[in-house]
PDB file of all heavy atoms in Angstrom:
ATOM      1  N   PRO A1159     133.944 129.268 122.657  1.00 97.00           N
ATOM      2  CA  PRO A1159     133.636 129.418 121.233  1.00 97.00           C
ATOM      3  C   PRO A1159     133.315 130.866 120.885  1.00 97.00           C
ATOM      4  O   PRO A1159     132.770 131.604 121.724  1.00 97.00           O
ATOM      5  CB  PRO A1159     132.409 128.515 121.036  1.00 97.00           C
ATOM      6  CG  PRO A1159     131.795 128.399 122.388  1.00 97.00           C
ATOM      7  CD  PRO A1159     132.918 128.489 123.377  1.00 97.00           C
ATOM      8  N   PRO A1160     133.616 131.290 119.662  1.00 97.00           N
ATOM      9  CA  PRO A1160     133.323 132.670 119.247  1.00 97.00           C
ATOM     10  C   PRO A1160     131.837 133.009 119.309  1.00 97.00           C
ATOM     11  O   PRO A1160     131.473 134.182 119.454  1.00 97.00           O
ATOM     12  CB  PRO A1160     133.831 132.716 117.801  1.00 97.00           C
ATOM     13  CG  PRO A1160     134.822 131.611 117.688  1.00 97.00           C
ATOM     14  CD  PRO A1160     134.346 130.537 118.610  1.00 97.00           C
ATOM     15  N   SER A1161     130.980 131.997 119.232  1.00 96.00           N
ATOM     16  CA  SER A1161     129.536 132.241 119.223  1.00 96.00           C
ATOM     17  C   SER A1161     129.006 132.710 120.569  1.00 96.00           C
ATOM     18  O   SER A1161     127.874 133.193 120.663  1.00 96.00           O
ATOM     19  CB  SER A1161     128.797 130.958 118.832  1.00 96.00           C
ATOM     20  OG  SER A1161     128.954 129.965 119.830  1.00 96.00           O
ATOM     21  N   MET A1162     129.796 132.582 121.608  1.00 97.00           N
ATOM     22  CA  MET A1162     129.339 132.843 122.970  1.00 97.00           C
ATOM     23  C   MET A1162     130.042 134.087 123.515  1.00 97.00           C
ATOM     24  O   MET A1162     131.256 134.226 123.396  1.00 97.00           O
ATOM     25  CB  MET A1162     129.662 131.619 123.841  1.00 97.00           C
ATOM     26  CG  MET A1162     129.007 131.615 125.201  1.00 97.00           C
ATOM     27  SD  MET A1162     129.431 130.076 126.087  1.00 97.00           S
ATOM     28  CE  MET A1162     128.668 128.845 125.006  1.00 97.00           C
ATOM     29  N   SER A1163     129.275 134.982 124.117  1.00 98.00           N
ATOM     30  CA  SER A1163     129.869 136.185 124.696  1.00 98.00           C
ATOM     31  C   SER A1163     130.604 135.841 125.992  1.00 98.00           C
ATOM     32  O   SER A1163     130.379 134.789 126.611  1.00 98.00           O
ATOM     33  CB  SER A1163     128.788 137.225 124.982  1.00 98.00           C
ATOM     34  OG  SER A1163     127.976 136.818 126.070  1.00 98.00           O
ATOM     35  N   PHE A1164     131.482 136.746 126.416  1.00 98.00           N
ATOM     36  CA  PHE A1164     132.159 136.550 127.697  1.00 98.00           C
ATOM     37  C   PHE A1164     131.148 136.502 128.839  1.00 98.00           C
ATOM     38  O   PHE A1164     131.299 135.711 129.776  1.00 98.00           O
ATOM     39  CB  PHE A1164     133.172 137.681 127.946  1.00 98.00           C
ATOM     40  CG  PHE A1164     134.420 137.584 127.119  1.00 98.00           C
ATOM     41  CD1 PHE A1164     134.682 138.508 126.126  1.00 98.00           C
ATOM     42  CD2 PHE A1164     135.337 136.558 127.331  1.00 98.00           C
ATOM     43  CE1 PHE A1164     135.831 138.426 125.359  1.00 98.00           C
ATOM     44  CE2 PHE A1164     136.490 136.464 126.571  1.00 98.00           C
ATOM     45  CZ  PHE A1164     136.746 137.392 125.580  1.00 98.00           C
ATOM     46  N   GLU A1165     130.104 137.337 128.753  1.00 98.00           N
ATOM     47  CA  GLU A1165     129.090 137.363 129.808  1.00 98.00           C
ATOM     48  C   GLU A1165     128.367 136.017 129.899  1.00 98.00           C
ATOM     49  O   GLU A1165     128.122 135.503 130.997  1.00 98.00           O
ATOM     50  CB  GLU A1165     128.085 138.490 129.548  1.00 98.00           C
ATOM     51  CG  GLU A1165     128.643 139.884 129.716  1.00 98.00           C
ATOM     52  CD  GLU A1165     129.380 140.399 128.483  1.00 98.00           C
ATOM     53  OE1 GLU A1165     129.486 139.643 127.483  1.00 98.00           O
ATOM     54  OE2 GLU A1165     129.837 141.550 128.514  1.00 98.00           O
ATOM     55  N   GLU A1166     128.017 135.445 128.754  1.00 97.00           N
ATOM     56  CA  GLU A1166     127.349 134.137 128.748  1.00 97.00           C
ATOM     57  C   GLU A1166     128.281 133.049 129.263  1.00 97.00           C
ATOM     58  O   GLU A1166     127.886 132.217 130.092  1.00 97.00           O
ATOM     59  CB  GLU A1166     126.877 133.813 127.332  1.00 97.00           C
ATOM     60  CG  GLU A1166     125.733 134.701 126.854  1.00 97.00           C
ATOM     61  CD  GLU A1166     125.514 134.634 125.353  1.00 97.00           C
ATOM     62  OE1 GLU A1166     126.411 134.176 124.610  1.00 97.00           O
ATOM     63  OE2 GLU A1166     124.419 135.049 124.908  1.00 97.00           O
ATOM     64  N   ALA A1167     129.514 133.047 128.785  1.00 98.00           N
ATOM     65  CA  ALA A1167     130.472 132.012 129.185  1.00 98.00           C
ATOM     66  C   ALA A1167     130.766 132.060 130.677  1.00 98.00           C
ATOM     67  O   ALA A1167     130.991 131.022 131.311  1.00 98.00           O
ATOM     68  CB  ALA A1167     131.757 132.155 128.376  1.00 98.00           C
ATOM     69  N   ALA A1168     130.743 133.257 131.259  1.00 98.00           N
ATOM     70  CA  ALA A1168     131.049 133.402 132.682  1.00 98.00           C
ATOM     71  C   ALA A1168     129.975 132.790 133.581  1.00 98.00           C
ATOM     72  O   ALA A1168     130.203 132.588 134.770  1.00 98.00           O
ATOM     73  CB  ALA A1168     131.227 134.875 133.028  1.00 98.00           C
ATOM     74  N   CYS A1169     128.806 132.491 133.021  1.00 96.00           N
ATOM     75  CA  CYS A1169     127.737 131.873 133.810  1.00 96.00           C
ATOM     76  C   CYS A1169     127.934 130.373 134.010  1.00 96.00           C
ATOM     77  O   CYS A1169     127.269 129.756 134.847  1.00 96.00           O
ATOM     78  CB  CYS A1169     126.386 132.077 133.119  1.00 96.00           C
ATOM     79  SG  CYS A1169     125.888 133.795 132.943  1.00 96.00           S
ATOM     80  N   LEU A1170     128.812 129.764 133.220  1.00 97.00           N
ATOM     81  CA  LEU A1170     128.817 128.308 133.087  1.00 97.00           C
ATOM     82  C   LEU A1170     129.532 127.525 134.188  1.00 97.00           C
ATOM     83  O   LEU A1170     129.062 126.457 134.575  1.00 97.00           O
ATOM     84  CB  LEU A1170     129.419 127.914 131.722  1.00 97.00           C
ATOM     85  CG  LEU A1170     128.734 128.524 130.496  1.00 97.00           C
ATOM     86  CD1 LEU A1170     129.399 127.998 129.231  1.00 97.00           C
ATOM     87  CD2 LEU A1170     127.246 128.219 130.492  1.00 97.00           C
ATOM     88  N   PRO A1171     130.691 127.958 134.702  1.00 96.00           N
ATOM     89  CA  PRO A1171     131.521 127.028 135.484  1.00 96.00           C
ATOM     90  C   PRO A1171     130.931 126.520 136.791  1.00 96.00           C
ATOM     91  O   PRO A1171     131.375 125.481 137.280  1.00 96.00           O
ATOM     92  CB  PRO A1171     132.796 127.851 135.742  1.00 96.00           C
ATOM     93  CG  PRO A1171     132.853 128.825 134.621  1.00 96.00           C
ATOM     94  CD  PRO A1171     131.428 129.201 134.385  1.00 96.00           C
ATOM     95  N   THR A1172     129.984 127.205 137.399  1.00 94.00           N
ATOM     96  CA  THR A1172     129.425 126.712 138.663  1.00 94.00           C
ATOM     97  C   THR A1172     127.977 126.260 138.480  1.00 94.00           C
ATOM     98  O   THR A1172     127.692 125.074 138.443  1.00 94.00           O
ATOM     99  CB  THR A1172     129.544 127.774 139.766  1.00 94.00           C
ATOM    100  OG1 THR A1172     130.930 128.049 140.003  1.00 94.00           O
ATOM    101  CG2 THR A1172     128.952 127.271 141.077  1.00 94.00           C
ATOM    102  N   ALA A1173     127.043 127.201 138.344  1.00 92.00           N
ATOM    103  CA  ALA A1173     125.623 126.829 138.285  1.00 92.00           C
ATOM    104  C   ALA A1173     125.301 125.965 137.073  1.00 92.00           C
ATOM    105  O   ALA A1173     124.626 124.927 137.191  1.00 92.00           O
ATOM    106  CB  ALA A1173     124.755 128.089 138.276  1.00 92.00           C
ATOM    107  N   TRP A1174     125.768 126.354 135.905  1.00 96.00           N
ATOM    108  CA  TRP A1174     125.419 125.608 134.696  1.00 96.00           C
ATOM    109  C   TRP A1174     126.139 124.270 134.625  1.00 96.00           C
ATOM    110  O   TRP A1174     125.575 123.276 134.170  1.00 96.00           O
ATOM    111  CB  TRP A1174     125.675 126.460 133.455  1.00 96.00           C
ATOM    112  CG  TRP A1174     124.526 127.394 133.230  1.00 96.00           C
ATOM    113  CD1 TRP A1174     124.165 128.451 134.019  1.00 96.00           C
ATOM    114  CD2 TRP A1174     123.549 127.310 132.205  1.00 96.00           C
ATOM    115  NE1 TRP A1174     123.016 129.037 133.536  1.00 96.00           N
ATOM    116  CE2 TRP A1174     122.623 128.375 132.426  1.00 96.00           C
ATOM    117  CE3 TRP A1174     123.363 126.476 131.113  1.00 96.00           C
ATOM    118  CZ2 TRP A1174     121.531 128.586 131.602  1.00 96.00           C
ATOM    119  CZ3 TRP A1174     122.272 126.693 130.276  1.00 96.00           C
ATOM    120  CH2 TRP A1174     121.366 127.729 130.528  1.00 96.00           C
ATOM    121  N   LEU A1175     127.360 124.221 135.090  1.00 97.00           N
ATOM    122  CA  LEU A1175     128.069 122.937 135.146  1.00 97.00           C
ATOM    123  C   LEU A1175     127.415 122.008 136.160  1.00 97.00           C
ATOM    124  O   LEU A1175     127.267 120.805 135.907  1.00 97.00           O
ATOM    125  CB  LEU A1175     129.539 123.166 135.502  1.00 97.00           C
ATOM    126  CG  LEU A1175     130.411 121.920 135.621  1.00 97.00           C
ATOM    127  CD1 LEU A1175     130.407 121.105 134.329  1.00 97.00           C
ATOM    128  CD2 LEU A1175     131.837 122.297 136.009  1.00 97.00           C
ATOM    129  N   THR A1176     127.012 122.558 137.300  1.00 97.00           N
ATOM    130  CA  THR A1176     126.291 121.756 138.295  1.00 97.00           C
ATOM    131  C   THR A1176     125.033 121.158 137.683  1.00 97.00           C
ATOM    132  O   THR A1176     124.731 119.969 137.860  1.00 97.00           O
ATOM    133  CB  THR A1176     125.931 122.630 139.513  1.00 97.00           C
ATOM    134  OG1 THR A1176     127.125 123.063 140.155  1.00 97.00           O
ATOM    135  CG2 THR A1176     125.078 121.856 140.514  1.00 97.00           C
ATOM    136  N   ALA A1177     124.271 121.966 136.942  1.00 97.00           N
ATOM    137  CA  ALA A1177     123.034 121.491 136.316  1.00 97.00           C
ATOM    138  C   ALA A1177     123.321 120.425 135.265  1.00 97.00           C
ATOM    139  O   ALA A1177     122.607 119.409 135.178  1.00 97.00           O
ATOM    140  CB  ALA A1177     122.286 122.666 135.695  1.00 97.00           C
ATOM    141  N   TYR A1178     124.347 120.633 134.467  1.00 98.00           N
ATOM    142  CA  TYR A1178     124.695 119.669 133.420  1.00 98.00           C
ATOM    143  C   TYR A1178     125.025 118.305 134.037  1.00 98.00           C
ATOM    144  O   TYR A1178     124.536 117.264 133.573  1.00 98.00           O
ATOM    145  CB  TYR A1178     125.886 120.190 132.621  1.00 98.00           C
ATOM    146  CG  TYR A1178     126.326 119.271 131.495  1.00 98.00           C
ATOM    147  CD1 TYR A1178     125.778 119.387 130.221  1.00 98.00           C
ATOM    148  CD2 TYR A1178     127.283 118.281 131.717  1.00 98.00           C
ATOM    149  CE1 TYR A1178     126.172 118.539 129.192  1.00 98.00           C
ATOM    150  CE2 TYR A1178     127.678 117.429 130.690  1.00 98.00           C
ATOM    151  CZ  TYR A1178     127.123 117.572 129.438  1.00 98.00           C
ATOM    152  OH  TYR A1178     127.517 116.718 128.434  1.00 98.00           O
ATOM    153  N   ARG A1179     125.846 118.302 135.077  1.00 98.00           N
ATOM    154  CA  ARG A1179     126.221 117.037 135.724  1.00 98.00           C
ATOM    155  C   ARG A1179     125.005 116.369 136.366  1.00 98.00           C
ATOM    156  O   ARG A1179     124.842 115.150 136.292  1.00 98.00           O
ATOM    157  CB  ARG A1179     127.308 117.288 136.773  1.00 98.00           C
ATOM    158  CG  ARG A1179     127.815 116.021 137.476  1.00 98.00           C
ATOM    159  CD  ARG A1179     128.929 116.377 138.465  1.00 98.00           C
ATOM    160  NE  ARG A1179     129.390 115.236 139.233  1.00 98.00           N
ATOM    161  CZ  ARG A1179     130.371 114.413 138.844  1.00 98.00           C
ATOM    162  NH1 ARG A1179     130.975 114.606 137.690  1.00 98.00           N
ATOM    163  NH2 ARG A1179     130.735 113.401 139.613  1.00 98.00           N
ATOM    164  N   MET A1180     124.141 117.163 136.995  1.00 98.00           N
ATOM    165  CA  MET A1180     122.940 116.610 137.619  1.00 98.00           C
ATOM    166  C   MET A1180     122.068 115.880 136.604  1.00 98.00           C
ATOM    167  O   MET A1180     121.616 114.757 136.844  1.00 98.00           O
ATOM    168  CB  MET A1180     122.122 117.722 138.294  1.00 98.00           C
ATOM    169  CG  MET A1180     122.746 118.316 139.538  1.00 98.00           C
ATOM    170  SD  MET A1180     121.771 119.701 140.178  1.00 98.00           S
ATOM    171  CE  MET A1180     120.353 118.831 140.882  1.00 98.00           C
ATOM    172  N   LEU A1181     121.830 116.514 135.466  1.00 98.00           N
ATOM    173  CA  LEU A1181     120.920 115.951 134.467  1.00 98.00           C
ATOM    174  C   LEU A1181     121.509 114.760 133.728  1.00 98.00           C
ATOM    175  O   LEU A1181     120.876 113.691 133.621  1.00 98.00           O
ATOM    176  CB  LEU A1181     120.546 117.025 133.448  1.00 98.00           C
ATOM    177  CG  LEU A1181     119.613 118.135 133.920  1.00 98.00           C
ATOM    178  CD1 LEU A1181     119.649 119.290 132.933  1.00 98.00           C
ATOM    179  CD2 LEU A1181     118.186 117.615 134.086  1.00 98.00           C
ATOM    180  N   PHE A1182     122.722 114.932 133.212  1.00 98.00           N
ATOM    181  CA  PHE A1182     123.224 113.998 132.207  1.00 98.00           C
ATOM    182  C   PHE A1182     124.280 113.021 132.712  1.00 98.00           C
ATOM    183  O   PHE A1182     124.446 111.957 132.117  1.00 98.00           O
ATOM    184  CB  PHE A1182     123.763 114.782 131.007  1.00 98.00           C
ATOM    185  CG  PHE A1182     122.750 115.717 130.415  1.00 98.00           C
ATOM    186  CD1 PHE A1182     122.960 117.089 130.401  1.00 98.00           C
ATOM    187  CD2 PHE A1182     121.566 115.239 129.890  1.00 98.00           C
ATOM    188  CE1 PHE A1182     122.028 117.952 129.854  1.00 98.00           C
ATOM    189  CE2 PHE A1182     120.618 116.094 129.343  1.00 98.00           C
ATOM    190  CZ  PHE A1182     120.848 117.453 129.325  1.00 98.00           C
ATOM    191  N   THR A1183     124.972 113.355 133.802  1.00 97.00           N
ATOM    192  CA  THR A1183     125.955 112.420 134.367  1.00 97.00           C
ATOM    193  C   THR A1183     125.336 111.658 135.529  1.00 97.00           C
ATOM    194  O   THR A1183     125.149 110.439 135.458  1.00 97.00           O
ATOM    195  CB  THR A1183     127.221 113.163 134.828  1.00 97.00           C
ATOM    196  OG1 THR A1183     127.780 113.880 133.736  1.00 97.00           O
ATOM    197  CG2 THR A1183     128.257 112.176 135.355  1.00 97.00           C
ATOM    198  N   GLN A1184     124.982 112.354 136.581  1.00 98.00           N
ATOM    199  CA  GLN A1184     124.406 111.686 137.754  1.00 98.00           C
ATOM    200  C   GLN A1184     122.985 111.208 137.491  1.00 98.00           C
ATOM    201  O   GLN A1184     122.594 110.131 137.937  1.00 98.00           O
ATOM    202  CB  GLN A1184     124.434 112.631 138.954  1.00 98.00           C
ATOM    203  CG  GLN A1184     125.812 113.165 139.331  1.00 98.00           C
ATOM    204  CD  GLN A1184     126.779 112.083 139.764  1.00 98.00           C
ATOM    205  OE1 GLN A1184     127.240 111.289 138.943  1.00 98.00           O
ATOM    206  NE2 GLN A1184     127.073 112.026 141.055  1.00 98.00           N
ATOM    207  N   GLY A1185     122.201 112.003 136.778  1.00 97.00           N
ATOM    208  CA  GLY A1185     120.827 111.612 136.480  1.00 97.00           C
ATOM    209  C   GLY A1185     120.713 110.619 135.343  1.00 97.00           C
ATOM    210  O   GLY A1185     119.739 109.861 135.264  1.00 97.00           O
ATOM    211  N   GLY A1186     121.698 110.618 134.429  1.00 97.00           N
ATOM    212  CA  GLY A1186     121.667 109.705 133.288  1.00 97.00           C
ATOM    213  C   GLY A1186     120.442 109.882 132.414  1.00 97.00           C
ATOM    214  O   GLY A1186     119.992 108.927 131.752  1.00 97.00           O
ATOM    215  N   LEU A1187     119.896 111.085 132.347  1.00 98.00           N
ATOM    216  CA  LEU A1187     118.656 111.311 131.613  1.00 98.00           C
ATOM    217  C   LEU A1187     118.912 111.423 130.117  1.00 98.00           C
ATOM    218  O   LEU A1187     119.996 111.833 129.684  1.00 98.00           O
ATOM    219  CB  LEU A1187     117.968 112.577 132.130  1.00 98.00           C
ATOM    220  CG  LEU A1187     117.470 112.470 133.575  1.00 98.00           C
ATOM    221  CD1 LEU A1187     116.998 113.825 134.081  1.00 98.00           C
ATOM    222  CD2 LEU A1187     116.358 111.447 133.702  1.00 98.00           C
ATOM    223  N   LYS A1188     117.896 111.068 129.358  1.00 97.00           N
ATOM    224  CA  LYS A1188     117.998 111.082 127.895  1.00 97.00           C
ATOM    225  C   LYS A1188     116.723 111.664 127.306  1.00 97.00           C
ATOM    226  O   LYS A1188     115.700 111.786 128.004  1.00 97.00           O
ATOM    227  CB  LYS A1188     118.242 109.669 127.367  1.00 97.00           C
ATOM    228  CG  LYS A1188     117.142 108.684 127.706  1.00 97.00           C
ATOM    229  CD  LYS A1188     117.521 107.284 127.306  1.00 97.00           C
ATOM    230  CE  LYS A1188     116.383 106.299 127.568  1.00 97.00           C
ATOM    231  NZ  LYS A1188     115.943 106.271 128.967  1.00 97.00           N
ATOM    232  N   ALA A1189     116.788 112.013 126.040  1.00 97.00           N
ATOM    233  CA  ALA A1189     115.646 112.615 125.364  1.00 97.00           C
ATOM    234  C   ALA A1189     114.396 111.759 125.555  1.00 97.00           C
ATOM    235  O   ALA A1189     114.443 110.534 125.424  1.00 97.00           O
ATOM    236  CB  ALA A1189     115.949 112.771 123.875  1.00 97.00           C
ATOM    237  N   GLY A1190     113.292 112.415 125.889  1.00 98.00           N
ATOM    238  CA  GLY A1190     112.029 111.719 126.106  1.00 98.00           C
ATOM    239  C   GLY A1190     111.706 111.479 127.564  1.00 98.00           C
ATOM    240  O   GLY A1190     110.548 111.212 127.902  1.00 98.00           O
ATOM    241  N   ASP A1191     112.702 111.543 128.445  1.00 98.00           N
ATOM    242  CA  ASP A1191     112.452 111.396 129.881  1.00 98.00           C
ATOM    243  C   ASP A1191     111.759 112.642 130.423  1.00 98.00           C
ATOM    244  O   ASP A1191     111.829 113.729 129.841  1.00 98.00           O
ATOM    245  CB  ASP A1191     113.767 111.183 130.642  1.00 98.00           C
ATOM    246  CG  ASP A1191     114.378 109.809 130.399  1.00 98.00           C
ATOM    247  OD1 ASP A1191     113.645 108.902 129.939  1.00 98.00           O
ATOM    248  OD2 ASP A1191     115.587 109.641 130.656  1.00 98.00           O
ATOM    249  N   THR A1192     111.093 112.468 131.562  1.00 98.00           N
ATOM    250  CA  THR A1192     110.409 113.582 132.223  1.00 98.00           C
ATOM    251  C   THR A1192     111.139 113.941 133.509  1.00 98.00           C
ATOM    252  O   THR A1192     111.437 113.068 134.323  1.00 98.00           O
ATOM    253  CB  THR A1192     108.948 113.221 132.540  1.00 98.00           C
ATOM    254  OG1 THR A1192     108.263 112.897 131.326  1.00 98.00           O
ATOM    255  CG2 THR A1192     108.237 114.379 133.214  1.00 98.00           C
ATOM    256  N   VAL A1193     111.404 115.231 133.697  1.00 98.00           N
ATOM    257  CA  VAL A1193     112.140 115.688 134.863  1.00 98.00           C
ATOM    258  C   VAL A1193     111.369 116.810 135.547  1.00 98.00           C
ATOM    259  O   VAL A1193     110.741 117.635 134.896  1.00 98.00           O
ATOM    260  CB  VAL A1193     113.560 116.162 134.469  1.00 98.00           C
ATOM    261  CG1 VAL A1193     113.518 117.365 133.537  1.00 98.00           C
ATOM    262  CG2 VAL A1193     114.409 116.468 135.696  1.00 98.00           C
ATOM    263  N   LEU A1194     111.409 116.812 136.869  1.00 98.00           N
ATOM    264  CA  LEU A1194     110.830 117.878 137.684  1.00 98.00           C
ATOM    265  C   LEU A1194     111.960 118.695 138.285  1.00 98.00           C
ATOM    266  O   LEU A1194     112.859 118.141 138.927  1.00 98.00           O
ATOM    267  CB  LEU A1194     109.959 117.299 138.800  1.00 98.00           C
ATOM    268  CG  LEU A1194     109.473 118.292 139.867  1.00 98.00           C
ATOM    269  CD1 LEU A1194     108.535 119.331 139.259  1.00 98.00           C
ATOM    270  CD2 LEU A1194     108.788 117.548 141.029  1.00 98.00           C
ATOM    271  N   VAL A1195     111.914 120.007 138.070  1.00 97.00           N
ATOM    272  CA  VAL A1195     112.892 120.924 138.661  1.00 97.00           C
ATOM    273  C   VAL A1195     112.202 121.690 139.779  1.00 97.00           C
ATOM    274  O   VAL A1195     111.243 122.439 139.545  1.00 97.00           O
ATOM    275  CB  VAL A1195     113.440 121.908 137.602  1.00 97.00           C
ATOM    276  CG1 VAL A1195     114.411 122.889 138.261  1.00 97.00           C
ATOM    277  CG2 VAL A1195     114.121 121.148 136.469  1.00 97.00           C
ATOM    278  N   GLN A1196     112.671 121.510 141.005  1.00 96.00           N
ATOM    279  CA  GLN A1196     112.089 122.189 142.159  1.00 96.00           C
ATOM    280  C   GLN A1196     112.688 123.583 142.312  1.00 96.00           C
ATOM    281  O   GLN A1196     113.873 123.801 142.107  1.00 96.00           O
ATOM    282  CB  GLN A1196     112.362 121.384 143.437  1.00 96.00           C
ATOM    283  CG  GLN A1196     111.707 120.014 143.483  1.00 96.00           C
ATOM    284  CD  GLN A1196     110.224 120.072 143.862  1.00 96.00           C
ATOM    285  OE1 GLN A1196     109.549 121.079 143.659  1.00 96.00           O
ATOM    286  NE2 GLN A1196     109.707 118.972 144.402  1.00 96.00           N
ATOM    287  N   GLY A1197     111.832 124.544 142.661  1.00 90.00           N
ATOM    288  CA  GLY A1197     112.310 125.874 143.015  1.00 90.00           C
ATOM    289  C   GLY A1197     112.838 126.694 141.875  1.00 90.00           C
ATOM    290  O   GLY A1197     113.953 127.231 141.942  1.00 90.00           O
ATOM    291  N   ALA A1198     112.056 126.830 140.806  1.00 88.00           N
ATOM    292  CA  ALA A1198     112.496 127.610 139.643  1.00 88.00           C
ATOM    293  C   ALA A1198     112.825 129.037 140.068  1.00 88.00           C
ATOM    294  O   ALA A1198     112.089 129.651 140.838  1.00 88.00           O
ATOM    295  CB  ALA A1198     111.411 127.617 138.575  1.00 88.00           C
ATOM    296  N   GLY A1199     113.936 129.549 139.581  1.00 78.00           N
ATOM    297  CA  GLY A1199     114.310 130.929 139.877  1.00 78.00           C
ATOM    298  C   GLY A1199     115.796 131.103 140.081  1.00 78.00           C
ATOM    299  O   GLY A1199     116.405 132.008 139.534  1.00 78.00           O
ATOM    300  N   GLY A1200     116.396 130.244 140.891  1.00 78.00           N
ATOM    301  CA  GLY A1200     117.820 130.354 141.158  1.00 78.00           C
ATOM    302  C   GLY A1200     118.661 129.979 139.960  1.00 78.00           C
ATOM    303  O   GLY A1200     118.168 129.445 138.962  1.00 78.00           O
ATOM    304  N   GLY A1201     119.964 130.250 140.060  1.00 81.00           N
ATOM    305  CA  GLY A1201     120.870 130.017 138.941  1.00 81.00           C
ATOM    306  C   GLY A1201     120.917 128.574 138.497  1.00 81.00           C
ATOM    307  O   GLY A1201     120.870 128.279 137.294  1.00 81.00           O
ATOM    308  N   VAL A1202     120.991 127.638 139.456  1.00 91.00           N
ATOM    309  CA  VAL A1202     121.036 126.225 139.089  1.00 91.00           C
ATOM    310  C   VAL A1202     119.693 125.779 138.518  1.00 91.00           C
ATOM    311  O   VAL A1202     119.638 125.059 137.518  1.00 91.00           O
ATOM    312  CB  VAL A1202     121.443 125.351 140.291  1.00 91.00           C
ATOM    313  CG1 VAL A1202     121.355 123.866 139.940  1.00 91.00           C
ATOM    314  CG2 VAL A1202     122.861 125.690 140.747  1.00 91.00           C
TER     315      VAL A1202
END
């Protein structure tokens, strides 16, 4: 999308896609659920 820079878009295909699938496909999480993310800092 035009709203997103090339630098931002380049972050998505591995770490951000992995996170998206973890939360919403494999995790099946929805608004209001509580999630714990271990090891804050890395890309994922």
Side-chain angles (χ1 to χ4, degrees):
S1161 67
M1162 192 178 297
S1163 71
F1164 286 112
E1165 291 83 358
E1166 291 165 343
C1169 298
L1170 304 182
T1172 297
W1174 278 68
L1175 179 58
T1176 296
Y1178 181 89
R1179 182 178 176 89
M1180 290 175 73
L1181 288 165
F1182 304 118
T1183 303
Q1184 303 297 71
L1187 294 171
K1188 60 187 183 302
D1191 288 342
T1192 301
V1193 63
L1194 170 65
V1195 178
Q1196 296 280 25
V1202 174

